[in-house]
Amino acid sequence: MFDERDYERASELAEGEIEHALAQHRQRMRDGAEGSPDGSCLECGLPIPAARLAVWPNATRCVECQTDHERQQKTTGA
Ligand SMILES: [Zn+2]
């Protein structure tokens, strides 16, 4: 779901594009989607990097917590 190429893509984004993605993210959160309105991780509360939100506007966890979360889902789902 998330790999290094997304970071490469994000690093290629212009600053304005990241700002735009963040604005979209905040709008989505205001519209009642799951997640935190300020772009902080649901698990640890640390801010989710703007570059990550630019790639994954629905991201509600930082990379570490998302990786843990997916690993747990795989383990319990198997
Ligand atoms: Zn986290």
Side-chain angles (χ1 to χ4, degrees):
M1 185 176 174
F2 188 81
D3 64 44
E4 304 257 323
R5 273 172 305 175
D6 294 320
Y7 267 136
E8 280 170 33
R9 218 180 104 212
S11 66
E12 285 166 12
L13 291 175
E15 215 166 288
E17 288 179 88
I18 291 182
E19 275 304 309
H20 181 69
L22 276 176
Q24 278 187 318
H25 173 78
R26 294 195 191 101
Q27 182 63 52
R28 229 179 278 252
M29 294 302 111
R30 265 199 298 272
D31 289 346
E34 185 199 346
S36 58
D38 58 355
S40 60
C41 173
L42 282 183
E43 302 283 342
C44 67
L46 293 174
I48 300 172
R52 172 161 167 73
L53 289 176
V55 178
W56 294 102
N58 288 323
T60 51
R61 293 176 179 85
C62 68
V63 179
E64 285 85 25
C65 293
Q66 183 64 44
T67 305
D68 275 2
H69 181 71
E70 284 175 13
R71 197 173 294 147
Q72 276 169 18
Q73 279 191 325
K74 264 177 211 151
T75 315
T76 51

